[in-house]
Amino acid sequence: MKAAIYTKYGSPEVIQIVDVEIPSPKSNEVLIKIKASSVTRADTMMRQGIPKFGRLFLGLFKPKNTALGTGFSGVVKAIGSQITKFKVGDEVFGEKLFSTGSNSDFLCMSENELLENKPKNISHIEAAPICDGFLTSYNFLKEHAKLKKGQHVLINGASGSLGSAAVQLAKIMGAKVTGVCSTKNIDFVLSLGADEVLDYTIIKVNELQSKYDVVYDTVGKLSYSNTKNVLKANGIFMTPVLRVGLLWQMLRHPKKVKFEATGIKKTEDLKRLLNDLVNFFKQGKLHTHIDKKYHLMDIRYAHQHLDTGRKVGNVVIINP
């Protein structure tokens, strides 16, 4: 089978497509034929080895784990002897972390990992990014912001994968939403349900007169220090993008500044959040926006597109 890997840090040119053996499922695993997989900003940061202090965990001089891709959707092709939840032919989706990547033809997963049946009303392409943008943003809005009906949230980077998910989720949760994006994406963010959209090329967040219960910076371009004047007395600043400065802000203002790597939460907690998302998708309340689709052999171009910073929604790898 084909799989995308990287053995050193750098530009998209470091990505290789290699031939490897199709894995055999263990007794507690299922073998999945990948139909679609995600490519995210987190993937590009890992490929570049940035921020550099992250290499203490990823590998100091070269990546310890060479696999690429986390989110996926596909079809169960074989099951282990102890599997009870899934059967051959089931359409499933989920996220694979810290081992074999999802940017490949096949993947083995334990049924106890982040793996669920795909809602029938969405495609594999629409399901593949759910555990990236939607799950991360839902974790931040529900677990960290504890967002309530009537509260006002400002979402920076509202047209990206995390941002477009957050706009929809915040509206489902009953909040008023202000999105921040570039000029060309204003109509798109409004179509997601945002109550208002600000053009970051014209308006600076720290100069706003409004006060927000939550500032959710999905792209790591803001900080607590330059947004605290637009937060209400009990407001919080949160971001999934880790930076050295953010660590210092968290130490100084632990109740005001929130960060978490969603993927390392306990699996049972992630499954609980994912179950909510599955129900929202089944009810037609959430929609995945796909910016571009690439074949696995062209994954370098997917990374090049993400490196431009112009992605709108999600980028997906499709397999025949």
Side-chain angles (χ1 to χ4, degrees):
M1 72 172 198
K2 303 292 185 184
I5 66 167
Y6 70 122
T7 57
K8 59 183 178 181
Y9 299 120
S11 72
E13 298 305 312
V14 304
I15 300 174
Q16 306 171 52
I17 302 295
V18 296
D19 287 301
V20 296
E21 290 292 325
I22 296 175
S24 296
K26 298 175 183 176
S27 60
N28 66 335
E29 291 182 333
V30 299
L31 174 67
I32 302 161
K33 173 68 175 74
I34 304 297
K35 293 294 187 179
S37 59
S38 62
V39 178
T40 68
R41 185 164 179 262
D43 293 327
T44 67
M45 293 175 71
M46 292 176 67
R47 184 251 303 156
Q48 296 174 75
I50 58 173
K52 288 192 174 180
F53 68 82
R55 298 187 186 189
L56 294 172
F57 311 98
L58 299 174
L60 198 56
F61 301 108
K62 61 181 181 180
K64 295 176 183 177
N65 179 19
T66 62
L68 282 168
T70 55
F72 68 89
S73 185
V75 179
V76 175
K77 290 296 182 181
I79 63 173
S81 59
Q82 297 178 14
I83 295 298
T84 59
K85 183 177 178 180
F86 303 102
K87 63 183 184 298
V88 173
D90 281 353
E91 294 186 325
V92 296
F93 78 103
E95 185 172 43
K96 184 70 171 177
L97 295 169
F98 312 123
S99 58
T100 51
S102 64
N103 296 150
S104 59
D105 287 330
F106 289 89
L107 186 66
C108 279
M109 289 275 289
S110 163
E111 68 176 2
N112 295 321
E113 292 182 275
L114 202 59
L115 182 67
E116 297 293 339
N117 287 295
K118 179 181 72 65
K120 297 183 183 302
N121 61 327
I122 64 174
S123 67
H124 288 295
I125 290 172
E126 293 169 308
I130 289 176
C131 290
D132 295 309
F134 285 98
L135 188 58
T136 297
S137 285
Y138 192 44
N139 176 51
F140 272 86
L141 292 172
K142 184 173 183 177
E143 303 297 323
H144 292 291
K146 303 187 187 309
L147 196 63
K148 298 178 178 63
K149 184 177 180 179
Q151 289 189 314
H152 196 174
V153 56
L154 182 141
I155 299 170
N156 190 44
S159 60
S161 176
L162 292 162
S164 61
V167 171
Q168 297 177 71
L169 288 163
K171 291 305 297 180
I172 289 173
M173 298 168 79
K176 180 181 179 181
V177 175
T178 295
V180 181
C181 64
S182 63
T183 310
K184 69 181 181 66
N185 294 325
I186 289 176
D187 287 343
F188 167 63
V189 176
L190 285 171
S191 75
L192 297 172
D195 296 283
E196 62 177 350
V197 183
L198 308 178
D199 184 341
Y200 75 80
T201 67
I202 299 174
I203 300 171
K204 295 186 182 298
V205 170
N206 64 341
E207 296 175 355
L208 296 174
Q209 298 302 307
S210 300
K211 297 288 185 180
Y212 302 92
D213 297 284
V214 179
V215 172
Y216 179 33
D217 180 18
T218 70
V219 288
K221 299 295 186 182
L222 303 176
S223 67
Y224 173 69
S225 59
N226 63 19
T227 57
K228 61 183 180 181
N229 64 309
V230 302
L231 287 171
K232 295 180 181 179
N234 295 320
I236 66 167
F237 171 85
M238 59 186 196
T239 179
V241 182
L242 183 60
R243 305 182 310 280
V244 174
L246 180 68
L247 294 174
W248 174 243
Q249 292 168 13
M250 290 172 65
L251 288 172
R252 293 188 63 193
H253 310 282
K255 293 183 178 180
K256 290 286 195 178
V257 183
K258 306 293 181 180
F259 164 82
E260 184 180 35
T262 300
I264 63 173
K265 287 176 74 77
K266 292 181 179 179
T267 302
E268 55 266 32
D269 293 333
L270 291 174
K271 282 180 173 285
R272 175 174 48 82
L273 294 170
L274 188 56
N275 184 63
D276 287 349
L277 294 178
V278 168
N279 288 328
F280 291 149
F281 273 99
K282 286 180 177 179
Q283 295 166 19
K285 293 181 178 180
L286 292 177
H287 302 279
T288 308
H289 178 79
I290 305 300
D291 182 14
K292 291 183 181 294
K293 297 174 285 187
Y294 299 87
H295 289 286
L296 182 59
M297 298 300 292
D298 297 322
I299 190 172
R300 286 182 180 179
Y301 298 115
H303 276 247
Q304 287 173 1
H305 178 56
L306 264 76
D307 282 351
T308 67
R310 301 191 187 99
K311 176 176 68 69
V312 179
N314 299 273
V315 172
V316 173
I317 301 298
I318 54 176
N319 294 6

